[in-house]
Each structure stands twice: as structure tokens, then as C-alpha cells.
Amino acid sequence: MQYTITKENIHSVANELLQQLKPYKVWAFYAAMGSGKTTFIHALCDVMGVEDAVGSPTFSIINEYKAADGSIVYHLDLYRINDEEEAIQAGVEDVLYSGDLCLVEWPEKTPDLFPADTVQLSIDVVDSTTRRITVKVPS
């Protein structure tokens, strides 16, 4: 699956992905710095009715939000993680296997911690206002 994202359609794309990927609990976002990972995760949280302030957990590593339906949504930013042991100590593995929705930035920092049924989402910059997101669902 591939989508083009702009400011005008970001919430409709987020809604569509939430419907299509509902069975999958771990979403790994691959993209260069500044390409829109946090912005798209913010849109996903908007669609789910998260009222908490949504921002990149660069220093806290894990943010926990509550969706409008009462479900828990975890937002992880692994950019500052040095290795898998540090990730485990920070609680990353527990969250990834919690059964709650996990939206993960910089998953390449700890690739062996992820469940086999992790969805991979790659975001590419098309131009200053457009991104392309490619979704790879586990087989």
C-alpha cells in the first residue's frame, strides 16, 4: 500500500490506515530526520481522539496516550537508544508486547526487539509539502 500525504489529506489517510491496519498493534516508522514521522503520528492520534499533547518522546523514550475509546496508545522514539539492552531497561520491549497500539519512531535502533507481526511504514519526502508513505504488512 502506498499513499501520498499532504496537509489537506493527512487525517483522511491516517483514518484509512487505522481502519486497514486495525489488527496490527506495532507500527514501525522508517524515515529520515524531519520527514514527518511525528507529524503523521500526531494525525493518527487526532483521528483516535487522543486529547493529550502529542509530541515526540525524544528524551522520555515512551509517551502513553489515551484514545477516545479508552484504549492505550504508546508513542516511542528510539533515536537516543544506544542498544537493545538500554531499550529493554527503558521498558521498550514490555510496551511492544503489551497488546496496545505502539507507534514507533527510529525502530532500526533495536530491530530484534520487534514482534514478527510489526507493520513497517516508510515515509519519503516528495517535496516541501508532500510525503509518500509506503506500508508493508507482515505476511
Side-chain angles (χ1 to χ4, degrees), residues 6-136:
T6 63
K7 184 172 64 172
E8 292 75 29
N9 76 350
I10 192 170
H11 288 92
S12 63
V13 172
N15 186 54
E16 186 172 336
L17 283 178
L18 284 166
Q19 299 308 312
Q20 290 185 2
L21 302 176
K22 197 172 194 102
Y24 302 98
K25 295 301 181 184
V26 180
W27 297 19
F29 289 84
Y30 296 87
M33 181 82 70
S35 60
K37 295 181 295 294
T38 303
T39 300
F40 191 70
I41 289 171
H42 194 290
L44 290 165
C45 289
D46 285 348
V47 171
M48 290 184 284
V50 170
E51 293 184 6
D52 302 309
V54 176
S56 182
T58 302
F59 294 100
S60 62
I61 310 299
I62 302 169
N63 284 350
E64 180 180 320
Y65 311 125
K66 184 179 263 190
D69 66 1
S71 63
I72 299 298
V73 179
Y74 289 106
H75 179 188
L76 296 83
D77 184 333
L78 306 181
Y79 183 74
R80 296 196 182 280
I81 293 289
N82 293 312
D83 55 38
E84 289 183 4
E85 185 58 36
E86 183 180 354
I88 290 168
Q89 293 299 318
V92 170
E93 186 176 42
D94 293 336
V95 169
L96 293 176
Y97 290 87
S98 67
D100 296 309
L101 181 60
C102 297
L103 308 171
V104 187
E105 298 185 45
W106 301 103
E108 58 271 33
K109 299 288 278 188
T110 60
D112 294 335
L113 288 184
F114 284 79
D117 62 348
T118 298
V119 175
Q120 297 178 4
L121 302 99
S122 299
I123 300 175
D124 296 301
V125 176
V126 175
D127 60 36
S128 64
T129 62
T130 309
R131 304 295 186 261
R132 182 179 310 106
I133 188 164
T134 303
V135 181
K136 183 180 176 190

